[in-house]
Amino acid sequence: MKPNIGKRLFQYALTSKAGFIAALIALAIGVAAELAGPFIAKTMIDDHMLAIEKPFYETTSVDGTVSYAGTHFKREDRFEAGETKGREARILQVGRSFVFVDGSVQVADGNRSFTNGTLTVTRGSDTFHYKAKALTADELYSFYKPEMPGIFQLIGWYCFFLVVSIFAEFGKTYWLQSSANKVIQKLRLDLYAHIQRLPVYFFDNLPAGKVVSRVTNDTEAVKDLFVAVLSNFTSGIVTMTGVYVALFLLDFRLGLISLFIVPLLILWIILYRKVATRYNTIIRSRLSEINAIINESIQGMSIIRVFRHQKQTQQEFEELNDDYMKHQNKMLNLNAFTSHNLVNVLRNLAFAVVLWYFGSAALGTTGSAISLGVLYAFVDVLGRLFQPITGMVNQLAVLDTSIVSSGRVFELMDETGEPVTDGTMPRYKGQVEFNDVSFAYKKDDVLKHISFTAQPGQTVALVGHTGSGKSSIINLLFRFYDPQKGTITIDGTPVKNIPKQWLRHHMGIVLQDPYLFTGTVASNVSLGDSRITREQVNKALHDVGADKLLAHLPQGFDEPVIEKGSTLSAGQRQLISFARALAFDPAILILDEATANIDTETEALIQSALEVLKKGRTTFIIAHRLSTIRSADQILVLHRGEIVERGSHDELMAQRGRYFQMYQLQSGTVAAESASSSATSSAQNDLLTGKIAFKA
């Protein structure tokens, strides 16, 4: 993990530190409660079940004693200080039976056999014989009876710790997941807020699908880091710590030997991540590209079908999807090789070490022999060690995916954004001046020495062929970009000295293809701005004449609108965008080919709306249809980034220059189209008349 990524993830985790701390406390309690089980089992085995083989002594007391053959016996560790002990007796297990030895037993460890009332104990070359009597089930139970209260008490403690571990597991899961959700909520909010601050030109080079993938898929992968990875690794580390504490408490030497597992696990994780990071980087990149091509295909579905581009699009998608699957399979092979295989290797090594230790050291030396209870508890605890290891190893893939996704998210958040300045400025008058402005998107200038002045309330039209620089002037006015040379001022103030949010607050735009958001007609006018009341929305729609064109809608201005307003006609969408601009009352209005896609009948209504819209504000019109800008106060003719002509319509027509040629060309085209349309209509009428006559 890169230090910067780890540090930033930790800072986000601190935003919900109370939940994480509570989860860690619950985790520690749960681990302690689970590890109490082997110790309870050890106590039950050593102090109650196998302790029946400890020496018994005859006693005259009755409490806690065993009655056998008319005599009371008590186990040696049950005697109180100063209490008198009588003759010794032993209970020893032989196979599946138990025998009673009335007397002391010098050696009890070794191979035991019972024949004809004689107990034989063989250890090495030595053999010991003792007179004994086989115990019936009832007699054996009488010796176990004093142990039952202690056994039941231990069972009660075991159930108690089991309940504690259940509640602790619930608390850990709840607090961990709720905290992770809060962290991801903040991360997504911060990421989305940063996207809002990114300059517009940033999105020219990054497809929308890739941005969406980082906001959704990558942040969801980061969530897995806090939920699955953090849960498993934290619980794994805490559990392993508790296990090793328990191992050292049971037997220091065995605990020391078992430490070899830790460096092996760390080494395995480091080697895994070196390989996995390379695969995951490609996988996340391919996923973004898949989202991008899907988004692009959905947006352009009509074009794809009209031009029969389905096969090519399908092939592009299949190539990306195949590459994605190929690297997913590589990750699958890596995970299959490193998950259970690693755990099995470590488990087998650990148990081999335990068997070697008990076989060669413990069982061979009387002085260092370990009780069966310790052995059982040690094997139980050691087995529990591999549960967290399995969980940690199985989450390695998620860990690496989360880190790669975090890097992609933070990479986007590290892109330089526009500073956000709170507040606003008074509505300016709208005097716009370009003074010797030159601008280039990359190397070559697209605007060269542009100079003009638009007085408040004037209408300035920008005309010229595609690529002449019309849209670039508007981009500079909105400060989507800043010029390399020259200055742009509004009411005498350089726009570079005005915060972008303040500057755009008093600007409005109507695009050739207006964009409508999911919602209603009314919400698309106000855009959810609380400063615009419903009365203002209705008035704006009425003033631009939208109420006439939208009168047939069942719910009127509350009619639902889907993304991009595809259920509405081009004229309806355009009038809604006009009403939006009017409702926000901008000082400067930009009309970008606002009537290009409108039919002739609707155009009259649009032109009327334009006159309402332009009143009292400085208006810039980008137009190819020169007939729509005849009334403009100033027309700027651009060619290859330069203003080659300027003036009113009549002045430019009198010059008989480029504007005159463009206007004549369009007029001729219109006339030709009109003549062609009349001829077609006449032919259709003749044909229709013939058909009617034929039917008659």
Side-chain angles (χ1 to χ4, degrees):
M1 184 188 298
K2 295 180 181 179
N4 187 39
I5 294 178
K7 181 179 179 181
R8 294 173 75 168
L9 287 172
F10 180 72
Q11 289 173 344
Y12 269 99
L14 289 179
T15 60
S16 188
K17 59 184 177 182
F20 284 120
I21 291 173
L24 290 176
I25 293 174
L27 173 62
I29 294 173
V31 169
E34 283 190 21
L35 292 177
F39 284 89
I40 291 174
K42 168 189 171 297
T43 303
M44 188 179 295
I45 292 172
D46 286 346
D47 294 351
H48 296 284
M49 298 178 69
L50 296 184
I52 196 174
E53 291 198 351
K54 291 183 178 181
F56 282 80
Y57 292 94
E58 185 180 353
T59 180
T60 56
S61 64
V62 178
D63 297 336
T65 62
V66 179
S67 177
Y68 177 74
T71 305
H72 293 286
F73 293 92
K74 184 186 290 188
R75 212 172 74 190
E76 64 172 354
D77 56 342
R78 301 288 191 246
F79 279 87
E80 297 180 0
E83 190 174 353
T84 305
K85 296 180 180 178
R87 74 179 191 276
E88 181 181 345
R90 298 290 294 273
I91 305 295
L92 299 177
Q93 183 176 4
V94 182
R96 301 182 63 181
S97 303
F98 287 83
V99 298
F100 178 82
V101 179
D102 193 1
S104 62
V105 175
Q106 184 179 357
V107 176
D109 298 331
N111 293 325
R112 302 173 183 175
S113 61
F114 178 72
T115 306
N116 299 325
T118 301
L119 171 66
T120 303
V121 179
T122 303
R123 188 174 69 180
S125 58
D126 298 327
T127 302
F128 303 89
H129 301 281
Y130 307 98
K131 289 184 178 181
K133 180 182 178 182
L135 294 175
T136 64
D138 291 338
E139 291 172 335
L140 177 63
Y141 176 73
S142 66
F143 280 93
Y144 270 115
K145 193 173 182 180
E147 309 302 319
M148 298 310 291
I151 291 175
F152 288 138
Q153 185 179 16
L154 290 173
I155 291 175
W157 278 111
Y158 182 84
C159 293
F160 170 76
F161 285 120
L162 181 63
V163 172
V164 170
S165 67
I166 291 173
F167 279 100
E169 178 67 21
F170 170 79
K172 179 206 75 172
T173 304
Y174 173 78
W175 281 313
L176 194 63
Q177 297 219 14
S178 60
S179 300
N181 286 334
K182 291 178 182 177
V183 169
I184 299 306
Q185 180 189 37
K186 178 170 176 52
L187 180 62
R188 278 192 178 139
L189 288 173
D190 290 349
L191 180 59
Y192 188 75
H194 186 71
I195 290 174
Q196 299 284 354
R197 293 194 297 270
L198 290 175
V200 173
Y201 61 78
F202 175 82
F203 301 98
D204 296 339
N205 302 315
L206 188 65
K210 290 189 176 183
V211 178
V212 171
S213 181
R214 297 197 187 189
V215 178
T216 55
N217 296 339
D218 286 331
T219 53
E220 193 65 24
V222 178
K223 177 185 175 183
D224 293 336
L225 174 67
F226 286 104
V227 175
V229 177
L230 182 63
S231 173
N232 280 278
F233 271 77
T234 306
S235 61
I237 292 171
V238 173
T239 302
M240 288 179 67
T241 303
V243 165
Y244 274 111
V245 170
L247 291 177
F248 277 98
L249 289 175
L250 290 169
D251 189 275
F252 180 80
R253 293 159 297 178
L254 283 176
L256 201 60
I257 293 172
S258 301
L259 282 175
F260 79 93
I261 296 172
V262 176
L264 286 179
L265 182 62
I266 295 173
L267 178 62
W268 200 288
I269 292 174
I270 293 173
L271 294 176
Y272 172 88
R273 290 212 60 238
K274 282 188 175 181
V275 179
T277 299
R278 185 168 66 252
Y279 293 156
N280 273 321
T281 301
I282 298 175
I283 288 171
R284 304 310 295 184
S285 177
R286 293 295 176 273
L287 185 60
S288 290
E289 292 172 6
I290 288 173
N291 284 333
I293 196 172
I294 291 174
N295 180 72
E296 188 178 66
S297 298
I298 293 173
Q299 297 287 344
M301 187 60 70
S302 58
I303 301 299
I304 290 173
R305 293 185 177 180
V306 167
F307 288 95
R308 300 186 301 279
H309 195 59
Q310 293 97 322
K311 288 185 178 179
Q312 293 88 334
T313 306
Q314 180 73 17
Q315 184 178 354
E316 290 177 16
F317 182 82
E318 285 180 1
E319 288 175 358
L320 280 175
N321 202 32
D322 289 344
D323 194 51
Y324 177 78
M325 185 183 71
K326 181 179 72 174
H327 286 89
Q328 282 281 31
N329 286 337
K330 288 182 178 180
M331 277 298 301
L332 181 65
N333 294 333
L334 179 64
N335 294 332
F337 177 72
T338 58
S339 56
H340 289 89
N341 288 335
L342 168 63
V343 178
N344 289 334
V345 168
L346 292 178
R347 182 188 289 112
N348 293 337
L349 282 175
F351 282 115
V353 169
V354 173
L355 291 175
W356 167 80
Y357 178 82
F358 276 103
S360 64
L363 297 181
T365 305
T366 305
S368 61
I370 296 176
S371 71
L372 184 61
V374 172
L375 176 60
Y376 171 83
F378 194 91
V379 172
D380 188 351
V381 172
L382 190 61
R384 292 170 186 257
L385 177 65
F386 295 98
Q387 295 175 5
I389 291 178
T390 302
M392 293 166 68
V393 170
N394 288 341
Q395 292 301 322
L396 286 178
V398 181
L399 169 65
D400 197 76
T401 300
S402 301
I403 297 302
V404 171
S405 296
S406 301
R408 288 165 53 82
V409 170
F410 291 134
E411 180 185 2
L412 184 57
M413 294 180 72
D414 288 338
E415 292 288 340
T416 304
E418 298 176 347
V420 177
T421 305
D422 294 331
T424 184
M425 65 183 297
R427 188 177 187 272
Y428 40 73
K429 296 178 181 178
Q431 182 186 36
V432 178
E433 182 177 357
F434 276 59
N435 184 17
D436 195 26
V437 171
S438 296
F439 170 69
Y441 288 102
K442 292 181 180 178
K443 292 183 179 180
D444 299 329
D445 285 347
V446 295
L447 293 177
K448 305 168 187 176
H449 309 290
I450 300 296
S451 297
F452 68 87
T453 301
Q455 298 297 333
Q458 277 192 343
T459 297
V460 178
L462 306 175
V463 300
H465 60 77
T466 301
S468 60
K470 304 184 296 296
S471 296
S472 297
I473 290 178
I474 301 304
N475 286 337
L476 294 181
L477 187 58
F478 272 105
R479 284 200 69 193
F480 293 150
Y481 302 87
D482 286 322
Q484 285 83 15
K485 298 178 183 177
T487 58
I488 304 172
T489 62
I490 294 180
D491 292 350
T493 303
V495 294
K496 288 186 177 181
N497 297 339
I498 305 174
K500 293 181 180 180
Q501 290 81 15
W502 294 11
L503 178 74
R504 297 167 188 163
H505 183 74
H506 300 296
M507 288 185 179
I509 189 169
V510 178
L511 299 171
Q512 176 181 346
D513 187 14
Y515 195 96
L516 300 185
F517 299 90
T518 301
T520 64
V521 171
S523 69
N524 269 282
V525 174
S526 67
L527 294 181
D529 195 321
S530 58
R531 294 169 300 176
I532 299 177
T533 64
R534 182 56 185 262
E535 289 72 18
Q536 290 174 299
V537 169
N538 294 342
K539 185 177 185 303
L541 286 165
H542 176 77
D543 289 346
V544 300
D547 53 338
K548 302 173 184 176
L549 210 59
L550 301 174
H552 71 284
L553 297 179
Q555 300 182 47
F557 296 156
D558 292 315
E559 181 72 15
V561 175
I562 63 174
E563 182 184 356
K564 298 180 71 173
S566 57
T567 57
L568 301 174
S569 69
Q572 290 172 329
R573 293 198 301 271
Q574 197 64 279
L575 284 177
I576 292 172
S577 67
F578 282 174
R580 177 193 298 166
L582 185 61
F584 278 85
D585 189 26
I588 297 175
L589 175 66
I590 290 89
L591 303 174
D592 188 357
E593 292 291 339
T595 61
N597 297 331
I598 306 301
D599 58 84
T600 306
E601 183 178 351
T602 308
E603 184 179 354
L605 187 60
I606 296 294
Q607 288 292 349
S608 176
L610 279 174
E611 295 304 317
V612 174
L613 200 57
K614 291 190 296 183
K615 284 182 181 178
R617 62 189 98 249
T618 305
T619 306
F620 290 86
I621 301 177
I622 297 177
H624 284 111
R625 295 168 66 174
L626 303 183
S627 60
T628 62
I629 59 168
R630 294 185 59 174
S631 61
D633 299 298
Q634 185 178 181
I635 299 173
L636 305 178
V637 183
L638 289 100
H639 179 65
R640 294 182 180 178
E642 297 180 283
I643 298 177
V644 294
E645 296 178 9
R646 69 179 73 204
S648 65
H649 171 76
D650 293 335
E651 291 171 349
L652 293 176
M653 291 296 290
Q655 293 179 18
R656 304 182 70 85
R658 181 174 293 275
Y659 179 84
F660 175 82
Q661 294 175 1
M662 293 169 62
Y663 192 85
Q664 289 295 105
L665 181 63
Q666 286 193 13
S667 298
T669 303
V670 171
E673 287 178 354
S674 177
S676 174
S677 176
S678 299
T680 302
S681 178
S682 175
Q684 288 175 343
N685 288 336
D686 292 342
L687 180 62
L688 182 60
T689 304
K691 286 182 179 179
I692 295 173
F694 177 78
K695 286 183 179 180

